[in-house]
Structures are given as structure tokens and as C-alpha cells.
Amino acid sequence: RDQKNLQTWHWIAIVAVLALILVAGRGFCGFLCPVGSSLDLIHFICKKLHVKEIKRSEAFNRFIRIFWYFFCVFYFVLHFGLGIDPGWALVVLLIITTPIMVRFWCSICPVGTILGLLNRISLFRLEKDMETCVSCSACSKVCPMQNDEVFTSNKTGDVSSVSCIYCGMCVGKCPKKHALSLKVAGRKIL
């Protein structure tokens, strides 16, 4: 009986997390992901220690995505073909990149990539008012995902993208009070 109750609670927890992910999209990455939170803490400490941060260009981001595909092939060949666990390579990648690149892992995270596809149907929305926006690029400079789409978009309304983790940093940094807003189910939260 105790085993059955435990299994029931496991299924309830799994369904609750899946529902939350479906509703939040990549908002999960911005607020609940333990890896992202750990990376934010490490990056915060490195910033206090004056470790210089590298701003990723769009060309660099494209290179990283291509590199990631090759890395995945390398990983699967080693793991499934040769029986070697290359998990050490991921750890080395995180150790090298975390101090100098904000949320680098999040830009290649397979879970985040899948959740990004759910951003279009999630209840989270990042909205922009072009009449209030002064095109200062503050949103682009503060984005931990190095997302320029919010800044470059010339439309009013939903400017959510697949890479947006809905952290709200762009909204908080914007010098114009109502130029950007973060909404959940149509209600403004930032």
C-alpha cells in the first residue's frame, strides 16, 4: 500500500511538472531550472571577482549551435559505440564557459531547446510598445541569453522568442516604464 501511494505521488509530481513546463515554456529555465540558477550564482561570483565577460555575437551563437551538433554526434559515438562515458567533456565545457559567458549552457541545453518551442503556446509573454521604446538597446545588453530579437523587433505586441527565458531582466533595465512588459495569462507581472 505504501509503495502504491508513493507511485501515485510520483505520477502526480511528474504531471504537475509537465503541466508547469507546458504553461511556462522557457519560463521554467528562467525561474526553476537548478542548472540555470547554479550558473547564475557562479557568474554573479565571477562578476564580483571582476572576471571579464565575453559578449557573444550572433555569428558565435551560430558556430556554437553547429559545434553542439558535432559534439552530440561525438558524445553518442563514444557513449553508445565505444561504451565510454564522455560526461567529463560537458563538465569541462561548463567550467570553461560559465565564468565568462552568462548562461552559456542554456543556449545549448537540449531541454531548453525543446521548451523554447513551447514558448509560442506558453502563458508567458514578453510585450513591447514601439511608441514608448526609445531603441536604447538596454534590453539587448542585459539579456542573459544574449537575445537581440526584443531590441531589433519593430512591432508592438508579443516579442517573445524561442531563446527568451522570461527572466524579466530586460523589463527591469528598460529606461522607459511601459516599453516592455512581462505578462502571464494576459496579466502584467513586470
Side-chain angles (χ1 to χ4, degrees):
R1 180 163 174 121
D2 287 337
Q3 181 70 20
K4 187 168 179 144
N5 283 341
L6 187 60
Q7 285 178 343
T8 302
W9 282 109
H10 281 150
W11 281 110
I12 290 172
I14 289 169
V15 168
V17 168
L18 289 175
L20 176 67
I21 287 171
L22 236 147
V23 167
R26 271 197 107 169
F28 174 84
C29 303
F31 296 104
L32 299 173
C33 177
V35 176
S37 298
S38 300
L39 296 178
D40 285 345
L41 177 63
I42 292 168
H43 191 77
F44 174 78
I45 292 168
C46 289
K47 204 171 181 181
K48 290 294 181 190
L49 296 173
H50 304 291
V51 175
K52 184 155 175 62
E53 180 183 322
I54 296 173
K55 177 81 171 159
R56 300 185 311 256
S57 68
E58 187 53 42
F60 181 78
N61 285 337
R62 274 194 304 274
F63 167 77
I64 290 302
R65 282 191 290 275
I66 292 168
F67 168 80
W68 181 242
Y69 296 130
F70 285 111
F71 180 83
C72 287
V73 170
F74 165 77
Y75 183 92
F76 284 108
V77 166
L78 283 181
H79 187 71
F80 296 110
L82 302 175
I84 300 170
D85 183 13
W88 54 269
L90 285 175
V91 173
V92 169
L93 184 68
L94 281 175
I95 289 170
I96 291 170
T97 59
T98 297
I100 58 174
M101 295 182 197
V102 182
R103 284 195 175 237
F104 173 76
W105 168 253
C106 301
S107 62
I108 59 174
C109 172
V111 174
T113 302
I114 292 166
L115 293 179
L117 299 175
L118 297 175
N119 270 0
R120 283 283 158 218
I121 61 169
S122 81
L123 297 180
F124 280 71
R125 289 285 172 258
L126 182 62
E127 295 194 355
K128 179 178 181 179
D129 180 358
M130 277 307 295
E131 291 186 22
T132 310
C133 177
V134 292
S135 299
C136 65
S137 79
C139 54
S140 179
K141 291 174 185 166
V142 74
C143 179
M145 296 302 292
Q146 312 257 324
N147 182 358
D148 286 336
E149 293 177 49
V150 174
F151 170 63
T152 58
S153 176
N154 291 324
K155 67 176 187 174
T156 291
D158 183 14
V159 289
S160 304
S161 71
V162 294
S163 64
C164 183
I165 59 172
Y166 301 115
C167 63
M169 291 180 74
C170 56
V171 178
K173 195 68 168 180
C174 183
K176 292 300 203 174
K177 189 169 175 76
H178 300 290
L180 289 174
S181 60
L182 184 60
K183 295 181 177 182
V184 176
R187 298 187 66 170
K188 185 175 176 179
I189 59 169
L190 286 178

